[in-house]
Amino acid sequence: MYNRAMDMDILIEKIIKWGKDKGLNDSRMQLNKVLEEVGEIAHEVARNRDGAELEDAIGDTLVTLIIFASINNKDIRKCLEGAYNEIKDRVGVTENGTFIKA
């Protein structure tokens, strides 16, 4: 079980090692797993479930994305930081729950 005090970098490295140990090295197959897990999130949201199943689906999606990034020689932290730097100063409006940039 994830210990909240565990450093995120350590957790990411453990996930990458787990993926390598399991022989997860095919980018296309891993992308399929990412999409499958995102589908599980959609399944939970469509049924208005916001409990443990949704949390599990989000966690599984993160794991598959971390492994996918690693397979493609990308650092998930750098990917996330780049995405944040791109959106942090965006301006726009939120309509019907969707942010629309100006």
Side-chain angles (χ1 to χ4, degrees), residues 14-63:
K14 285 183 176 199
I15 291 166
I16 291 169
K17 181 181 182 319
W18 180 88
K20 287 179 180 177
D21 290 348
K22 300 298 181 196
L24 303 177
N25 56 18
D26 184 303
S27 185
R28 290 181 184 180
M29 294 301 291
Q30 191 61 26
L31 179 57
N32 286 339
K33 284 302 288 182
V34 171
L35 296 174
E36 178 183 325
E37 297 301 341
V38 170
E40 288 186 18
I41 292 173
H43 177 84
E44 296 303 317
V45 170
R47 283 153 184 78
N48 291 317
R49 296 181 188 159
D50 62 359
E53 293 88 359
L54 178 58
E55 189 173 306
D56 181 65
I58 292 169
D60 289 349
T61 301
L62 290 169
V63 167

Side-chain angles (χ1 to χ4, degrees), residues 54-77:
L54 178 58
E55 189 173 306
D56 181 65
I58 292 169
D60 289 349
T61 301
L62 290 169
V63 167
T64 60
L65 280 170
I66 290 167
I67 294 169
F68 179 78
S70 176
I71 290 169
N72 288 283
N73 299 312
K74 303 295 179 195
D75 184 314
I76 196 74
R77 294 162 287 244

